[in-house]
Amino acid sequence: MVAGFEYAFPAIRGVQASREFYVSMCPLRLLPKLFLFNEDEMVPELRAQRQLNKARLPEMARYVLENPDDYVFSAITASVDADVKFEPFGDDPESRKMGVLRIPMSARFVLNDGQHRRAAIEMAMRENPSIGDESIAVVFFLDQGLARCQQMFADLNRYAIRPARSLGVLYDHRDDKALLAKLVVARAPVFRDVVEMERTTLAPRSRRLFTLSAIYTATAALLQNVELEEAEERAKLAAEFWEVVGAQLPQWAQVQQAKITAGDVREDFLHSHGVVLQALGRVGNSLLHHQQKDWKKQLKKIETIDWRRNNAGLWEGRAMIGGRVSKAQQNVLLTTNAIKNHLGINLTAEETRAEEAHQLGERRDG
């Protein structure tokens, strides 16, 4: 860069831990030019960021492109290795907080937080250059060396916790599957007052039988490739399915009637756990595809399954591993197989492979 040339950012000056920092707005088109990646080949000890996970980028870029009127990205945080100048707009205390931050074009920028946002925005701009005129907030800190940059990365991510999946489903108004799950919970009497809408795990003393995230996953499995375009139709069918299921499992209604506690049901039975709900969704999907007229009659046979957790002969290695419920995909498949075998439903190729591997493992253990 030619000496003397500089970037000028309108900025607000603040102080954290006795150090000045600056908050500004950066046009999206400048992000790829300002924040370059040259750390991919370095060992972790010499980097100030995690390696870029390129597999995440298409989904993030698609989020921007598919939601041009309401996408949201939080601020990027960067350290600046240069002698910056802040020119306040005035001399009074309030005016001195606002001004112009001047950064030499020879400055080196290190992203402390936001490298995936920056790369996804660059990817999205290739397809839609017009978003380059939009902006993102950038927090600038003064670079004080590699150790400080690494510490900032650790501190910025120290308390970063993803929201519970149920809460994410509850607040998601873009995902059709999330909207469907919420409609089903609202419409199906079997779920009334027994669904935890925020948390993804249930405490032992929780009065809820199910989590919204479990119903989301199970209902998505139920309606996979079912040709119903209208959301109301899909919700009606799913609610009807879960009503039929609930009618065969008396403990669900007994919890609603306060005859037994939800904790006791979860402790003694498997049929309210996510692994079984998803398996039931898969079973229902097979019935809807292959036995469209008689699916309710066929489904009623689940009443005669022994759902008790202490029925280890059936559930150990399928819904449970070492006595603990497992939601792993392999366990979902094997639980599905147990239900299908009881109902006399053919297994899919994927389920057959899982069953063969399970049977082979049992023979080896035996």
Side-chain angles (χ1 to χ4, degrees):
M1 292 292 181
V2 179
F5 287 85
E6 60 188 10
Y7 299 106
F9 294 95
I12 300 174
R13 176 168 56 183
V15 176
Q16 274 186 13
S18 302
R19 296 184 178 94
E20 285 191 357
F21 72 100
Y22 308 91
V23 181
S24 183
M25 295 294 154
C26 179
L28 298 186
R29 66 177 179 274
L30 280 182
L31 288 182
K33 300 176 183 178
L34 288 178
F35 306 114
L36 303 176
F37 294 126
N38 58 4
E39 299 184 339
D40 286 353
E41 302 304 322
M42 292 184 182
V43 295
E45 296 90 329
L46 298 180
R47 292 201 306 264
Q49 254 281 17
R50 75 189 85 187
Q51 279 193 317
L52 192 68
N53 182 354
K54 295 181 180 179
R56 292 178 54 191
L57 302 184
E59 182 180 0
M60 295 176 69
R62 188 166 57 250
Y63 161 71
V64 177
L65 294 169
E66 292 179 355
N67 302 282
D69 297 326
D70 60 355
Y71 73 91
V72 179
F73 274 148
S74 57
I76 285 174
T77 303
S79 292
V80 185
D81 183 10
D83 292 327
V84 305
K85 294 180 181 179
F86 181 75
E87 298 176 354
F89 289 147
D91 294 327
D92 61 276
E94 292 304 314
S95 296
R96 289 187 62 80
K97 295 178 182 177
M98 296 178 287
V100 176
L101 179 66
R102 299 189 180 277
I103 303 175
M105 285 190 173
S106 59
R108 177 175 177 266
F109 297 87
V110 175
L111 278 178
N112 306 109
D113 183 58
Q115 64 169 348
H116 289 91
R117 271 162 280 164
R118 170 247 179 252
I121 288 169
E122 180 182 13
M123 182 178 289
M125 283 193 297
R126 295 191 195 116
E127 188 166 334
N128 182 9
S130 66
I131 65 174
D133 295 327
E134 298 182 353
S135 57
I136 190 169
V138 180
V139 182
F140 291 107
F141 288 90
L142 301 183
D143 193 337
Q144 296 184 343
L146 176 63
R148 173 61 182 165
C149 287
Q150 290 177 336
Q151 187 61 59
M152 286 177 63
F153 173 81
D155 290 346
L156 286 167
N157 289 278
R158 186 181 305 274
Y159 302 111
I161 300 176
R162 290 179 63 87
R165 188 159 180 261
S166 287
L167 190 61
V169 171
L170 180 64
Y171 288 169
D172 195 334
H173 298 276
R174 290 196 182 96
D175 183 357
D176 290 339
K177 295 176 184 178
L179 296 174
L180 174 64
K182 288 178 282 190
L183 272 176
V184 170
V185 170
R187 305 281 174 82
V190 71
F191 291 139
R192 187 174 298 128
D193 299 326
V194 291
V195 178
E196 171 55 59
M197 303 296 283
E198 293 188 45
R199 297 174 179 84
T200 304
T201 57
L202 294 171
R205 299 183 65 180
S206 173
R207 294 177 298 163
R208 311 302 183 190
L209 264 179
F210 318 101
T211 64
L212 179 59
S213 61
I215 294 171
Y216 169 96
T217 303
T219 303
L222 170 67
L223 296 183
Q224 185 175 8
N225 298 324
V226 174
E227 295 181 0
L228 289 174
E229 294 185 2
E230 294 296 326
E232 288 290 336
E233 288 185 86
R234 295 175 70 82
K236 180 180 178 181
L237 177 59
E240 188 177 10
F241 172 83
W242 292 118
E243 283 297 311
V244 174
V245 169
Q248 319 313 315
L249 307 173
Q251 293 81 17
W252 290 13
Q254 289 169 2
V255 171
Q256 288 180 314
Q257 298 160 9
K259 293 181 178 179
I260 54 177
T261 68
D264 286 342
V265 173
R266 294 195 308 274
E267 181 67 24
D268 295 337
F269 298 91
L270 285 166
H271 49 51
S272 66
H273 289 267
V275 60
V276 172
L277 290 181
Q278 189 175 348
L280 286 168
R282 290 179 62 98
V283 171
N285 184 263
S286 291
L287 291 173
L288 292 176
H289 280 294
H290 303 295
Q291 300 188 37
Q292 297 179 4
K293 294 182 179 179
D294 297 328
W295 68 265
K296 292 182 184 179
K297 180 180 179 181
Q298 191 79 348
L299 191 59
K300 290 180 180 180
K301 296 178 183 179
I302 66 171
E303 181 183 15
T304 57
I305 295 176
D306 185 351
W307 295 102
R308 291 174 300 171
R309 289 181 64 160
N310 62 12
N311 182 16
L314 177 58
W315 300 119
E316 181 59 37
R318 293 184 183 272
M320 299 188 300
I321 299 294
R324 299 179 65 87
V325 178
S326 172
K327 295 186 292 185
Q329 183 61 23
Q330 185 76 355
N331 296 104
V332 172
L333 291 175
L334 293 173
T335 302
T336 301
N337 294 353
I339 300 171
K340 281 189 169 184
N341 288 335
H342 187 86
L343 272 56
I345 301 173
N346 293 331
L347 305 185
T348 66
E350 181 185 25
E351 292 161 356
T352 298
R353 288 193 296 271
E355 189 66 24
E356 289 173 350
H358 175 68
Q359 296 295 343
L360 179 61
E362 282 195 330
R363 287 195 294 270
R364 287 175 178 171
D365 293 340

